[in-house]
Structure formats: C-alpha cells, structure tokens
Amino acid sequence: MKDVVTEGLQDFGFTVEDLISQEHDAALGNGGLGRLASCFLDSMATCQLPAWGYGLRYRYGMFKQQIVDGNQIEHPDYWLDFNPWEFPRPDVTVDVQFYGRVRKNREGKSVWQDGEIIEAVAHDVPIPGYDTRNTNSLRLWSSRASSGEFDFQKFDAGDYENAVADQLTAETISAVLYPNDDLDRGRELRLKQQYLWCAASLSDIIRRFKKSDRPWSDFTDYVVIQLNGTHPALAIVELQRILVDLEELNFNEAWQIVSRTFAYTTHTTLPEVREKWPVPMIKKLLPRHMQLIYEINHNWLERVKKEFPGDLGLLNRVSIIEETDPKTVRTLFIGILGSFKVNGVSELHSEQITQTTFKDFVKILGRGRFTNVTNGITPRRWLHQANPKLSALIASKLGSYDFLKDLYLLQRLKLYTNDSEFKKAWADIKLENKARLANYITDTTGVQVNINALFDVQVKWFDEHKRQQLNIFGVIHRYLKIKAMDPSERSGLVPRVSIFGGKAAPGNWIGKKTIHFINKVATTINKDPDVGDLLKVVFIEDYNVSKAELICPASDLSEHISTAGTEASGTSNMKFALNGGLIIATIDGSNIEVIEEIGEDNTFLFGHLAPDVEDVRRAHAENPGRECPSKNLLSVFNAVLDGMFGDPEPLAAVVNRVIDQDHYIISDDFDSYIAAQDMVDETYRDQDKWIEKSILSVAGMGKFSSDRSVWQYSEEIWNIESVAVKDPKRREYKKSS
Ligand code: H2P
C-alpha cells in the first residue's frame, strides 16, 4: 500500500516518512531473541504457515536509553500510548489462578483451590505476510484483576486507594519487561509473568482445538508448540495439569501427549543452567505445579536408574530438582524432558551444547532428540524496507522482486561483479545511505562525519562476550597511531567513522561502564584537531529496530567479534551483509555459516578458535600475574590510565577487567584483531575490489532468510504445511463460472 499512501499524503502536503516518524517503535523484539521471533512471525505469515505467536503485552517494554555525560540513563518507554497496530480483544479473556492449596477430592483427584484469580486479556497484532492474503496474529496478554474494575463499595466508602489496589497489583504482572540478565530481582513477579503467559496461551490453544470436537489422542496431530527459550518452559507442566486434573487423563497418557506437543529452542551458550526457581517459591505460587514437577522428576529418575544403574552422579546431574538450600527447579531440564525436539540456533552452537550442557541428556535420550536450525532474518524488513533503493537495483538485474520470497535467487548477482555500470549504481546507493545516516548523526549528536570515510559499525546489546571493549581498544590503538605519525604521512590513511549503539541491562554494571568508556573516548577524539576527518567515534543513543534500519544499509564494515564459542548465533551479521556491508568476525556462532556462504576471501577473520579458548583461559588461571601478551594493547591501557581521555578513574574498570581476569580473552585476540583491521584498510583503498566483495556478500545471503529457518522448523520439527488463505474474489468467480 506504500505507493498509494505516499501519493495520497502528498495531497495533504506530507511525505510518507512524516507519517512513519510518528509511529512509536514496538518496545518488544529489540534484543536478538525477541527480534528473531519477530522475523519468524513475518516469515510464517509469508510462507503461509498456520501459526500464532504468543507473548506478554508489557505496559513498559524495554527502557529508553539516554546518554548523559557519557552515562546510560534509563527511562520508561511509554510505547503503548499510541499503538495503532494492536486490537484489544476484551471478549478473549482467561482466568489464571495463583497461590491457594491443593486437596484431594473423594475420587482421589487433586483439586487446586482458593488463592487469587488474575484475568489475562488478549490484544492481537496482525502480522500480514508478504505477497499473500495470509495474515497471522501475535496475541499478547495483559493482566488485570478478575473483576476488571475497581471495588465500588470501597470507593463509595471513600477508601479510594484500596479501591484500586487490587487492580494495580494485578496489572503489575504485565507491567515491565525484565532485562534478560537481571535474574535476581523481582523473581516472584517474573515467575508470575511466565505462568500468566503460559496458562493464558495454552487455554487459548486448547479452546481452539476443542472447537473441532476431536479426541485428545488427536491433539498432537493438530498442535505443536515451539518454546522460544526457557522462559515458557512452565507451559509443559501446565499442559500436564490441564490433562490430568481437568481432562482426567491418566498421568502417563497425559505425559505422552505433552512430550509430543512441545519442541524447545535454546538461545544461549552459557553452560550453567540459568533459570532456576526456588522450590518454596513455586510451592507457594503454583502448589499443584510443584507436585507435578516432583512426579515428572520421579518418573524420569526411575528411568535413568533403570538404564544406568548405580550412576548416582548422573542421577544428580540430570535431576530437575537441584539439591541446594533451598532446593531449586532447573527450568531448562523441564524444557528438555517435555519436548520431542531440542534445537540450538547455529551449527556450532547446536553441536557445542550436545557436548556440554546437554551431554548427559544426549547419553540418555539419544542424539536424535537434538538438532539445529540456524537463525535467519526477514529480507522484507532488512532489505526491501530498510534499503528500498538497493532492493530496486537488485530487482532491476534479477528481473523481479521474487528474491524477497526466495532469497537464494540473490546468487545470480555473482554474474554482475564485473558490470561497471551496476557497480557504480551499487556504490552510489551505499553513499546515499551513508549520507542519510551522517545527517542523522549530525542532527542527534552534533558530530560531523565524512561520508567518504569507512563506516565501521557495531550495534547490539552490551554483553561482555560481544566484546565492544575490543572494538574501542582498537579505536584507541588507531588514534595513537595517527597521533604518532608525522602529519605529512597521515594523508595516506583510510578515514574511519566508528559507530557504536546498544543498551546495557540496568543490572549489567560492566556494560554500563563500557558505554561510558566509549563516550569518553569519543569526546576526546572527536575534538582533536590532529585527527580531523581521519577518525570519528559516534555513539548512537537508544538503539532500536528503526535505527537499525537506518544504520544497516549505511555500513561499510560491521563487527561480530564475540569470543569464539560464546555467541549462540547472532543475527546482525546477516542484516549488515544483506545490505552490502563487509564483516569483521570471529569464528563463532552463525558467523561461521555466513563466512562459508560469502567466502573467506570476502570477510575479515581473526581470533582464537572455540576449542582453544578454554586452553587460553586455563593458562590465565595458572599464571595469574602474567604480562599482557599484546604490546599494542598495553599502550592503549597506558594512554587511558595516563588520563588521555579525561579522569582515568571512571574508565579504569573496563581496563582492569582485562588486566585482572580477561575471561573473554581480549588481550589474546587483540593483535590478530588489529591485523584484520589493517587488512580492512588495505582492501578499502581498492574501491573496485571492495564493491565486488560487497556484491558477493549480498549474493551469499540466500541461506539466511528467516523463511528458510521457518521452513526447516516446519519440515523437520513441526510437521506442518502451508495453507493459503483463499482470495474471496476468486471464489466468487469460480462460483459464477
Ligand atoms: C540471543 C543470543 C544470540 C542469538 C539470539 C537469537 C539470546 O540473543 O545471544 O546469539 O542470535 O538469541 O537466537 P541476544 O543475546 O541478542 O538476546
């Protein structure tokens, strides 16, 4: 509809961009995990797969980031104040029970009674597919007191505060989205969120199934539920509860259905089981679920005992209940046991987890339970919408926009790497996109950047393993090099703009220190007349999806430099490469597959390999006072600690972290990183070669469409087929003919 809208708006004196700029970014789906889910929703609708997305409608989604004096300040994000894309469904509500107690009735059945009821209310966000009539829904739940309004009796009696208290308590459940690494705060509320989400969604799924009047034995032929991470693992226990307590199936029969309904994706490489719930907390909040967890665990351990007699260690390691004080429930294990397939999100990650976190489960359940589906991104948003000119240029060569539905067609671009007219058009589009970003940078930060400089970007969450520190240390190294040069030699250098963006979870202190560090370094470098246009450092505030759409098309180079073996997949590498940016990367996560598709010659690689990282860490531990192995990095540290970027005290934490621990082996990878960056400069000098590599990057992106990912889920896990929604006009035509 964009053309129609653009034309219509012109009559009113507006551009379509004016209109779009009024729209608030969704405060959901901003980290890698959520954004992947958004891409999958787009792909499932486009591939005409009959699917629903379920989530929570957080009143305040991810916080808004402001940078004040170099520091991240968090503000609430009122994203729902204006959101024309959601349809409240007051008719679709589910009562969700919390607390209370369990008693046995006369027939010996467990009955969960009393406690409190919270009402979940549906809000639907339509997800239209591309070039199809199919539109799926993302159903988001918000919570409210089950009466839905405040207590009028109290209100009449003048007790105004208490009249609304129940309502406020109930609404708190869907109020805020906890950042993913803040595990200790608000734990009970977090558990309540997870349960409300699971219980409401399951009730909705079952209601739909029941409309068909089919027996429960058919359930798994019609329903499959993919758990996106461990957060919804409670759904497994909830379905067991529904089948046993409400539908009166026997325990084993119910478990057969449950464990053929769910499949589970893990998105992390962290070896420790992250989400654990204290048993007393579950007992209090969800007493019946705790009983069921014990029973599921009992049956499981009996099986393990039978198959591996006498192996007490194994029994302890795979038990859902961890014998800590107080005891805890390992949510991850519920996810594994209650699912018929478990997958990681890149080849390396999926392989790695079977050898570490899931090793024991592989031994017991067999390798066949574990599989891989490499992540992807939607080309509709990340190419066509973000970079319409590049999309049009590609369409002009390939003869149509079919590549937006079959991304492998991009391979044909390889034929045009010597077509000088095409290459010129390609380069012009990149320059235009850089100019667009440069204007944005000047408007928002006041920093003027040279659009002919190499735009080097790292935008993603601040997580220590993603190593923004390595990047900024590299920037300082470059700065020192420029300063040490005779001014007459400087003209031979390739000018750079280093662009950073991303948020740190409020509880991630080192992430916040790193943001501060980058901003302080930027301030010094940007005003240094010795450097001028040769180096600029920019921090883009409040990185989100709209900004990513502006940034990705404008990058010459982007950085995917996590310590090998720590990034499960990563998807921004795909977004940049699809927009013709080259990548500098470690041999980690999905980088490996991206490199395979684009070709090593067209990427800049460095760093230790995953199997060596543990050895390096062991060597650190054995030699605590060791010298920093990189002279280059030592000079960087000295410059920081000598006050080159202002008061060293607030900057020292980021440096000391590497000197003291260096868990992410920054010092061991630094020289190889610098060497790769030198290669980047050398390659960039030959613009013709650079553009050729840029075209080849795009040409190699076929595999990374999220359409491929969801097809793989459909065929290898869900066992579902596409169903086209028919065009009513065509139906009429058929009738009359
Ligand atoms: C996580 C992983 C990424 C992965 C993404 C989607 C949790 O994203 O760390 O490696 O690509 O899920 O599978 P993030 O760190 O951005 O929240």
Side-chain angles (χ1 to χ4, degrees):
M1 289 184 64
K2 199 167 177 185
D3 295 340
V4 179
V5 174
T6 307
E7 209 176 294
L9 282 169
Q10 265 163 13
D11 297 345
F12 297 108
F14 295 113
T15 65
V16 72
E17 284 75 24
D18 291 333
L19 184 72
I20 291 171
S21 70
Q22 294 301 304
E23 190 183 327
H24 202 300
D25 254 39
L28 304 173
N30 278 302
L33 182 88
R35 184 55 235 172
L36 180 80
S38 311
C39 285
F40 280 9
L41 288 172
D42 178 276
S43 284
M44 290 189 293
T46 301
C47 298
Q48 304 182 326
L49 296 169
W52 289 73
Y54 282 103
L56 280 186
R57 179 180 175 271
Y58 295 105
R59 182 76 193 83
Y60 308 105
M62 195 42 70
F63 63 87
K64 251 191 185 335
Q65 179 196 55
Q66 197 192 0
I67 302 294
V68 178
D69 194 23
N71 290 305
Q72 166 177 299
I73 308 290
E74 300 98 23
H75 296 282
D77 188 0
Y78 300 101
W79 73 293
L80 288 172
D81 286 356
F82 172 64
N83 179 16
W85 301 113
E86 66 171 10
F87 292 82
R89 298 291 309 272
D91 52 321
V92 182
T93 61
V94 178
D95 281 350
V96 180
Q97 188 176 0
F98 292 99
Y99 306 109
R101 64 199 169 89
V102 183
R103 65 166 184 85
K104 290 256 185 230
N105 68 11
R106 276 201 208 107
E107 292 90 56
K109 281 259 154 211
S110 298
V111 182
W112 179 18
Q113 62 185 40
D114 306 331
E116 99 188 21
I117 302 286
I118 304 284
E119 195 171 54
V121 187
H123 291 70
D124 288 348
V125 183
I127 311 287
Y130 174 77
D131 197 23
T132 166
R133 297 186 62 84
N134 285 46
T135 297
N136 288 341
S137 269
L138 168 62
R139 177 157 283 182
L140 301 175
W141 302 104
S142 64
S143 56
R144 66 175 185 205
S146 65
S147 66
E149 50 199 28
F150 55 71
D151 187 331
F152 272 105
Q153 273 173 0
K154 283 185 186 156
F155 189 78
D156 280 348
D159 188 1
Y160 304 125
E161 278 168 34
N162 282 324
V164 294
D166 286 353
Q167 184 60 20
L168 289 179
T169 313
E171 283 175 9
T172 309
I173 297 183
S174 60
V176 285
L177 164 59
Y178 286 94
N180 56 358
D181 62 351
D182 206 355
L183 291 177
D184 294 324
R185 262 191 288 176
R187 297 201 89 190
E188 183 169 313
L189 191 53
R190 207 178 158 98
L191 184 59
K192 273 188 169 173
Q193 290 184 331
Q194 296 187 357
Y195 182 63
L196 183 107
W197 170 31
C198 294
S201 308
L202 265 177
S203 156
D204 202 46
I205 291 167
I206 289 172
R207 180 186 50 75
R208 204 171 295 127
F209 171 73
K210 281 192 158 179
K211 279 201 269 185
S212 67
D213 260 343
R214 292 193 169 89
W216 274 108
S217 52
D218 281 4
F219 188 66
T220 55
D221 290 342
Y222 288 88
V223 177
V224 60
I225 302 175
Q226 186 71 38
L227 302 175
N228 193 35
T230 33
H231 312 109
L234 269 177
I236 290 172
V237 191
E238 173 66 0
L239 182 58
Q240 181 71 6
R241 183 187 75 87
I242 293 171
L243 296 180
V244 173
D245 292 359
L246 310 183
E247 301 296 330
E248 308 199 334
L249 269 61
N250 80 41
F251 195 92
N252 290 335
E253 204 183 341
W255 185 248
Q256 283 301 314
I257 294 175
V258 171
S259 53
R260 283 190 290 130
T261 299
F262 291 95
Y264 160 64
T265 309
T266 169
H267 295 267
T268 172
T269 60
L270 291 174
E272 69 267 37
V273 183
R274 298 242 315 190
E275 282 222 64
K276 289 184 201 164
W277 298 111
V279 168
M281 195 202 283
I282 302 194
K283 235 182 202 160
K284 179 174 135 211
L285 196 68
L286 303 168
R288 178 61 182 139
H289 295 76
M290 197 57 241
Q291 292 179 342
L292 290 165
I293 292 172
Y294 272 124
E295 204 165 337
I296 294 167
N297 196 40
H298 173 79
N299 293 350
W300 162 240
L301 294 182
E302 284 303 308
R303 171 180 167 184
V304 180
K305 262 191 228 160
K306 216 185 275 161
E307 289 177 25
F308 299 88
D311 195 343
L312 279 181
L314 180 69
L315 224 49
N316 268 328
R317 289 197 303 276
V318 300
S319 170
I320 297 176
I321 308 291
E322 191 173 38
E323 299 295 325
T324 41
D325 184 23
K327 289 183 181 164
T328 45
V329 171
R330 294 153 157 164
T331 329
L332 168 72
F333 290 7
I334 300 179
I336 302 174
L337 295 178
S339 303
F340 62 91
K341 275 280 179 218
V342 176
N343 74 284
V345 286
S346 72
E347 277 167 17
L348 175 75
H349 174 228
S350 299
E351 189 50 39
Q352 205 181 2
I353 52 181
T354 58
Q355 288 165 22
T356 53
T357 324
F358 298 168
K359 198 169 158 202
D360 291 320
F361 290 91
V362 173
K363 185 165 144 188
I364 307 165
L365 302 169
R367 184 69 177 79
R369 174 84 63 114
F370 300 88
T371 185
N372 172 56
V373 182
T374 298
N375 286 342
I377 57 168
T378 164
R380 273 77 61 183
R381 180 178 290 271
W382 296 111
L383 175 56
H384 191 58
Q385 181 175 309
N387 202 344
K389 291 207 170 140
L390 189 65
S391 185
L393 178 66
I394 294 172
S396 75
K397 275 291 170 203
L398 303 189
S400 75
Y401 280 102
D402 285 355
F403 61 93
L404 292 174
K405 288 190 291 179
D406 178 1
L407 207 61
Y408 281 108
L409 292 174
L410 291 177
Q411 281 180 50
R412 283 183 32 218
L413 290 175
K414 287 183 189 160
L415 299 174
Y416 304 104
T417 50
N418 290 320
D419 176 336
S420 52
E421 209 179 301
F422 177 65
K423 284 167 96 172
K424 162 103 184 39
W426 190 273
D428 287 348
I429 290 170
K430 179 61 80 183
L431 199 64
E432 245 180 77
N433 290 334
K434 285 168 73 173
R436 192 170 64 151
L437 178 60
N439 284 338
Y440 177 81
I441 290 173
T442 309
D443 288 352
T444 51
T445 66
V447 179
Q448 300 267 357
V449 297
N450 169 11
I451 60 167
N452 292 308
L454 186 157
F455 279 22
D456 172 352
V457 184
Q458 187 176 17
V459 283
K460 46 186 87 205
W461 269 92
F462 274 75
D463 254 328
E464 222 177 341
H465 73 272
K466 299 185 195 281
R467 298 205 294 192
Q468 284 91 349
Q469 329 79 296
L470 176 60
N471 183 347
I472 193 67
F473 293 155
V475 169
I476 298 176
H477 169 78
R478 179 174 293 267
Y479 178 57
L480 296 178
K481 220 166 78 179
I482 298 173
K483 296 283 281 181
M485 269 179 163
D486 188 87
S488 63
E489 291 170 44
R490 290 183 187 147
S491 60
L493 293 173
V494 174
R496 277 231 189 189
V497 182
S498 279
I499 299 165
F500 292 84
K503 298 175 185 179
N508 173 6
W509 74 273
I510 190 70
K512 289 168 108 176
K513 288 269 178 205
T514 310
I515 291 176
H516 178 74
F517 190 101
I518 294 168
N519 279 291
K520 286 291 157 188
V521 171
T523 310
T524 303
I525 295 180
N526 293 346
K527 62 175 193 233
D528 188 336
D530 283 355
V531 171
D533 262 0
L534 287 177
L535 183 59
K536 286 276 176 282
V537 185
V538 176
F539 191 97
I540 294 181
E541 196 177 63
D542 199 39
Y543 175 64
N544 59 18
V545 175
S546 295
K547 287 179 194 167
E549 286 178 30
L550 177 70
I551 296 166
C552 291
S555 104
D556 293 305
L557 180 79
S558 64
E559 309 223 7
H560 311 281
I561 57 177
S562 49
T563 315
T566 64
E567 187 71 270
S569 163
T571 47
S572 71
N573 47 7
M574 305 164 190
K575 291 163 199 164
F576 284 101
L578 185 58
N579 281 282
L582 271 52
I583 60 167
I584 180 166
T586 44
I587 311 300
D588 194 23
S590 65
N591 286 348
I592 299 176
E593 291 156 75
V594 169
I595 296 160
E596 238 165 54
E597 298 296 309
I598 298 178
E600 261 186 51
D601 290 350
N602 301 313
T603 48
F604 303 95
L605 310 178
F606 74 97
H608 283 80
L609 304 181
D612 302 333
V613 170
E614 270 317 305
D615 292 341
V616 174
R617 284 179 180 156
R618 211 166 302 122
H620 289 184
E622 283 164 9
N623 187 3
R626 79 190 177 119
E627 272 246 326
C628 174
S630 163
K631 294 250 162 4
N632 290 318
L633 189 57
L634 267 182
S635 315
V636 168
F637 289 169
N638 289 337
V640 174
L641 300 176
D642 286 349
M644 189 174 222
F645 305 101
D647 182 3
E649 211 245 277
L651 307 179
V654 175
V655 169
N656 288 338
R657 189 87 168 159
V658 176
I659 296 176
D660 298 342
Q661 297 187 328
D662 204 11
H663 186 67
Y664 294 101
I665 70 166
I666 306 262
S667 56
D668 307 273
D669 276 352
F670 193 69
D671 286 343
S672 129
Y673 174 67
I674 295 298
Q677 284 287 15
D678 288 345
M679 272 297 282
V680 170
D681 286 331
E682 205 183 306
T683 314
Y684 196 71
R685 281 197 187 94
D686 184 346
Q687 272 297 300
D688 198 56
K689 200 159 137 200
W690 187 274
I691 295 163
E692 186 180 322
K693 288 177 190 297
S694 162
I695 296 171
L696 290 173
S697 295
V698 177
M701 279 298 108
K703 175 174 171 182
F704 303 103
S705 166
S706 43
D707 297 352
R708 190 268 310 143
S709 309
V710 301
W711 275 125
Q712 220 180 319
Y713 276 102
S714 309
E715 283 166 16
E716 296 170 16
I717 301 179
W718 304 334
N719 194 17
I720 63 167
E721 285 163 15
S722 72
V723 183
V725 170
K726 292 205 187 76
D727 182 342
K729 281 188 230 120
R730 269 181 46 196
R731 253 202 322 253
E732 262 167 44
Y733 167 76
K734 270 192 190 148
K735 246 191 262 161
S736 60
S737 62

